[in-house]
Amino acid sequence: MHAQATVTDKNLAAVPRSRWYRIRAIAFWATTFVVVFELAAGSVWNLLQIEWIRVQLNHLGYPIYYTYITGVWQIGGAAVIIAPRFPRLKEWAYAGSFFTWSGAVASHLLAGDGAESWRVPLVFSMFAIASWALRPADRRLPNAELAPETRPLAWAVPTGILLLLLVVSYLTLPAVNAALHKRLLDLGWLTVPSAPPGQR
């Protein structure tokens, strides 16, 4: 009877641990989805040089060719973060994402912009930190000696998700352009209230 009670105690002790792992996994994938989606959407916006990006870079004093540099790195970062294994590259991708968004915060602060301008990149940098901190063991650097993933399904799922996010980012571009055009006018970064792109 005593042995049975011990087993039950171990089972009860395992329940909170398994619940914690489940919560942690859900939190990891939720924050990672936000990070990867923002990187994918940002790459589309930068590579297509939508009005929001052009006006914002002009406002902050950055050259327009900067969009091509960040657009390429953002799609690379999204691919690395969602791909299986490659923990060392993931460290670089997370660091690059954090530098991108914290750099945006610093740029807006140094330009004298209010919280309405730097709040969003600050939130994305916090999502990047949370995703990095919650990642499972096979995505962490101590396991850098792991061999690259060779199972096709392990690559198919993240590749499919990334492609889906890129397509969604591209297809929602007209609505995004219209909404961001209004935001540019509200912020005072665009002085001529011309029609948003796609409605001219």
Side-chain angles (χ1 to χ4, degrees):
M1 182 95 166
H2 180 66
Q4 186 177 6
T6 306
V7 171
T8 306
D9 290 344
K10 285 183 181 179
N11 290 344
L12 288 175
V15 171
R17 175 176 265 175
S18 67
R19 186 175 296 141
W20 163 246
Y21 287 135
R22 194 174 323 123
I23 291 169
R24 183 180 175 137
I26 291 169
F28 166 72
W29 284 110
T31 56
T32 301
F33 178 81
V34 171
V35 169
V36 171
F37 185 63
E38 174 56 23
L39 289 171
S43 70
V44 171
W45 295 8
N46 276 299
L47 294 173
L48 294 178
Q49 294 184 349
I50 67 170
E51 179 186 43
W52 169 258
I53 298 296
R54 290 191 320 269
V55 172
Q56 192 168 188
L57 287 180
N58 183 52
H59 168 74
L60 295 172
Y62 289 104
I64 196 67
Y65 65 80
Y66 182 70
T67 61
Y68 294 123
I69 298 168
T70 58
V72 169
W73 282 115
Q74 284 175 318
I75 191 64
V80 167
I81 288 173
I82 201 167
R85 308 285 177 103
F86 298 109
R88 190 173 309 279
L89 282 177
K90 287 185 190 316
E91 293 287 327
W92 284 88
Y94 277 117
S97 301
F98 178 77
F99 295 154
T100 295
W101 293 319
S102 63
V105 171
S107 296
H108 284 294
L109 286 171
L110 292 170
D113 295 335
E116 69 278 354
S117 300
W118 53 261
R119 180 179 33 223
V120 173
L122 179 64
V123 168
F124 284 126
S125 63
M126 289 189 286
F127 270 98
I129 291 169
S131 175
W132 174 83
L134 293 169
R135 68 200 190 288
D138 67 337
R139 293 173 170 260
R140 291 178 180 265
L141 199 51
N143 293 323
E145 303 307 318
L146 291 173
E149 184 62 63
T150 57
R151 295 174 298 151
L153 186 58
W155 284 99
V157 172
T159 302
I161 291 171
L162 185 58
L163 290 174
L164 178 66
L165 294 177
L166 288 169
V167 168
V168 168
S169 298
Y170 183 76
L171 293 178
T172 58
L173 214 46
V176 167
N177 268 336
L180 291 178
H181 179 80
K182 182 181 181 325
R183 183 154 162 76
L184 288 171
L185 292 172
D186 293 345
L187 289 169
W189 296 352
L190 192 63
T191 54
V192 180
S194 61
Q199 296 182 3
R200 292 180 191 168

